[in-house]
Amino acid sequence: MGSVQIVTTILAAAITAVAVWLAVRAVSKMVAVIRLGQPDPTRSGDRARRTRTMLAETAGHTRMLRWSVVGAAHWFVMVGFVVLSLLVLEAYFEVVSPTGGLPLVGGWTLYGLVTELIGILGVIGIGVLIAIRLANRPNRAGRRSRFTGSTMWQGYFVEAVVLAVLVMGFLIRGFKVATDHFEYPTWATPLSHAVGALLPAWESGVSVAALVKISISMTWVIVISLNVTMGVAWHRFLAFPNIFFKRKPGGAGSGLGALRPMMSDGKPLDFEEADPEKDQFGVAQVEQFTWKGLLDFSTCTECGRCQSQCPAWNTGKPLSPKLLVLSLRDHAYAKAPYLLAGGGKDLTGEEKATVAQLAHVDVLALAEAEKPLVGDAEAGGVIDPDVLWSCTTCGACVEQCPVDIEHVDHIVDMRRYQVLIESSFPSEAGVMLRNLENKGNPWGAPQNTREDWTKGLEFEVPRVGEVSDFEYLFWVGCAGAFEDRAKKTTRAVATLLNEAGVSFAILGEGETCSGDPARRIGNEFVFQMLAQQNVETLNEAFEGREKAKRKIVATCPHCFNTLGNEYGQLGGEFEVVHHTQLLAHLVSAGRLTPVQPVDGGVTYHDPCYLGRHNRVFTPPREVLGSAIEGGLTEMPRNSERSFCCGAGGARMWMEERIGKRINVDRVEEAMSTGARTVAVGCPFCSTMLTDGVNGKGAGEQVEVVDVASVLLRSVKPAGVGGAEESAPVAG
């Protein structure tokens, strides 16, 4: 070992020791913060499936590759990072000796070839990612940049380190080539040999370059260890457990479909026995999120894919799912010294720690602890109320997140506390909640008018109780029973089912609201009241039937989602289908035959709770394909990237006062296709898009109509039995 190698070895050991010490301290802090969260025993079951999902999403990059160029580049960088770890390890042998290398695999030509290829592709990949970040700088693209609000220096730093370490790897190999110490042939390592041809035969160059490589790598470790909220770096490690512990390991997006039940101390809250002084009602403090929630916040990569797809952000609202998560993350870590010292408020608001426990807590942590979790600028809240109430729960953020953060669950948990304990929510929504409690529907319509939609039909609509032998229970829903536009869909579906010879029955006045708007706004109490009533009614209607024969067809995706995904939490197990799924089956089976194609261009709007939340993309398109002429014209944002109509998350009953109206944005996109008909599969979407069309003054040129009505026009062109006529629907 020469003098140069002695110096490089000592320096490499010193910087590595500092980096390792700081990394251990940082990991210990992160684990301590995450463990502050509430228990969640649902996260550990089915480990084999969780492992498969985690490997598929990480090694297979199944979510990232939806963004083809970015995903491919990121995959090469990810693989390059893994290989970099081996090459950094190899550098510790090279600082000691210019001829050093990894034992066992170091001399294999295959190892040299694989690392060469990954190194080259890694350089290309990181170059692409750097170019994308530069091209989308927030100061250039404004609010439309998905990096708006991200900590840009961290992204630049991480990408620069990756590029520098890859380059140093080729320099080390180049010096080995130049000094004739390189063990791999030219055909396997062409770039290394090309670099070596340009370098001098400096014997100590290998050790010096290896020291530089180690120093860059350990500087990266030191920087991220001093910045535990640096998600753009820490996600490389945290993504694996965050994906492993996601709520639905087999689902396309964890946190889609059903909401998490309202939990207290790791168990679903029983409202009959719950006590606000002993049980947690929603989330009022950051430590009241589950440990998985705190892991979510720590894992955020700040990539902004959620932000780029969010309908609220894209229409000028203050909500960005990314910025919400980052605010919660920063607050949790700033408050952590206070919490770890034993601080915190009990459910009555009393301080749990003694004066002695808090005596040495940093004043900034104490100040952070006083911030309300939800509050406006004057109150110094972490999350502004306008942010919280802008969410439509459309799930676009959850769908796009590459590390499976469950944004919607966290937003609704905060809403639950605001509604149930603080009674703080948009005032106009109070009318809806009172109507749900007193009338059983959000419109406040008399219960004895639930069956009025059946008047004028040329056939009798059977009621449960009047007939015992029916294949499907037709869940009409509140909109389908009371809202004029939605009643046309209800009549169309009933007419089509009758035409196809499907035996069905309705509950009539025995049906009440599914509870979706109450649950999404955060009023879990009203939801459970309505849901338990419906579960009891449905169980009685299906008494004696096995689950496979307890079939329900619903026209509203919100009812479809609630009955099918959430009633199981309350003892209601049913097979629920959306009407477009049943109609698609009836058409393919030849039980419904379109006889006259519908003229004019048609585009289809995917409802969030049908498509993204429940993955029903194909059946509505199959129905439309059978009924229209010339094929479907897709909007730019469709299927899992469909843009929300603005009505979800109980936003249907709240005024949209900030920014551009979401429904107008979507209508403009629909109209840009040139289609005269916008087909929908949801009564909320029908209302919102029709209002948007009328607001644009295009009611005479563009109609919004349900998929069922399009099919009915083709099956019965003249309009039959009080079903929707073929004239355009202007609202």
Side-chain angles (χ1 to χ4, degrees), residues 98-410:
T99 60
L102 279 178
L104 300 178
V105 299
W108 291 4
T109 299
L110 180 62
Y111 172 76
L113 172 64
V114 170
T115 51
E116 183 87 355
L117 288 175
I118 291 175
I120 293 170
L121 293 172
V123 169
I124 295 171
I126 198 64
V128 169
L129 296 183
I130 290 171
I132 290 171
R133 189 177 292 273
L134 290 173
N136 290 278
R137 283 181 294 177
N139 61 344
R140 288 186 175 182
R143 207 171 214 253
R144 296 194 66 81
S145 170
R146 63 185 174 92
F147 295 117
T148 299
S150 297
T151 314
M152 295 301 287
W153 76 263
Q154 295 179 354
Y156 293 139
F157 171 75
V158 168
E159 289 166 349
V161 165
V162 172
L163 180 60
V165 173
L166 284 166
V167 169
M168 291 311 301
F170 284 110
L171 277 177
I172 294 171
R173 287 186 163 191
F175 277 118
K176 283 187 172 183
V177 170
T179 55
D180 203 26
H181 294 317
F182 198 50
E183 57 266 63
Y184 306 116
T186 304
W187 67 265
T189 53
L191 182 57
S192 297
H193 280 272
V195 172
L198 302 175
L199 296 176
W202 181 26
E203 191 76 21
S204 297
V206 174
S207 297
V208 172
L211 174 63
V212 173
K213 181 176 183 176
I214 291 171
S215 299
I216 293 171
S217 300
M218 292 305 107
T219 298
W220 180 80
V221 173
I222 290 169
V223 169
I224 73 168
S225 297
L226 294 174
N227 294 273
V228 290
T229 58
M230 194 172 176
V232 71
W234 282 106
H235 83 274
R236 295 160 186 259
F237 311 106
L238 297 179
F240 297 97
N242 207 56
I243 294 170
F244 181 86
F245 289 115
K246 72 176 182 173
R247 180 149 64 87
K248 294 193 300 184
S254 185
L256 294 174
L259 281 173
R260 284 180 69 250
M262 197 163 164
M263 309 287 282
S264 180
D265 196 29
K267 294 175 286 190
L269 192 67
D270 183 349
F271 276 96
E272 292 185 2
E273 300 179 1
D275 181 350
E277 294 188 0
K278 298 178 182 178
D279 294 300
Q280 181 179 316
F281 279 58
V283 169
Q285 305 289 336
V286 72
E287 64 271 21
Q288 291 178 350
F289 287 106
T290 66
W291 62 263
K292 175 56 169 63
L294 295 175
L295 178 59
D296 270 359
F297 308 152
S298 302
T299 308
C300 179
T301 73
E302 303 190 27
C303 67
R305 285 176 180 81
C306 59
Q307 180 175 286
S308 70
Q309 301 296 300
C310 176
W313 180 260
N314 277 284
T315 54
K317 314 293 188 293
L319 169 64
S320 157
K322 176 186 70 177
L323 298 181
L324 179 139
V325 166
L326 297 187
S327 296
L328 293 171
R329 178 198 68 188
D330 293 346
H331 173 60
Y333 281 89
K335 189 178 179 180
Y338 159 78
L339 295 171
L340 293 171
K345 301 289 196 302
D346 63 22
L347 293 173
T348 64
E350 295 296 319
E351 176 60 57
K352 293 187 288 187
T354 65
V355 174
Q357 285 177 299
L358 301 180
H360 302 292
V361 175
D362 184 81
V363 66
L364 295 177
L366 292 173
E368 193 73 26
E370 294 302 314
K371 289 184 177 180
L373 189 65
V374 177
D376 58 19
E378 185 178 347
V382 178
I383 304 298
D384 191 277
D386 284 335
V387 169
L388 192 65
W389 296 110
S390 291
C391 180
T392 66
T393 68
C394 71
C397 50
V398 178
E399 174 75 34
Q400 293 300 328
C401 182
V403 293
D404 283 311
I405 292 171
E406 298 161 3
H407 313 73
V408 174
D409 282 343
H410 305 319

Side-chain angles (χ1 to χ4, degrees), residues 499-500 583-594:
E499 181 74 12
L583 294 179
H585 167 71
L586 295 174
V587 170
S588 66
R591 295 172 67 179
L592 287 174
T593 304

Side-chain angles (χ1 to χ4, degrees), residues 445-472:
Q447 186 72 355
N448 60 11
T449 62
R450 267 196 182 268
E451 299 179 33
D452 284 0
W453 65 271
T454 63
K455 295 176 181 178
L457 292 175
E458 294 187 345
F459 55 92
E460 189 70 25
V461 177
R463 280 77 174 162
V464 172
E466 297 175 357
V467 292
S468 58
D469 185 20
F470 57 90
E471 184 179 3
Y472 286 93

Side-chain angles (χ1 to χ4, degrees), residues 443 450 453 476-483 486-488 490-491 555 683:
W443 282 275
R450 267 196 182 268
W453 65 271
V476 177
C478 299
F482 301 121
E483 206 272 331
K487 282 196 282 188
K488 295 176 181 178
T490 308
R491 291 159 70 85
T555 58

Side-chain angles (χ1 to χ4, degrees), residues 475-478 513-514 516 554-564 576:
W475 182 271
V476 177
C478 299
C513 180
S514 68
D516 165 85
T555 58
C556 175
H558 297 265
C559 296
F560 165 65
N561 177 71
T562 303
L563 271 63
V576 187

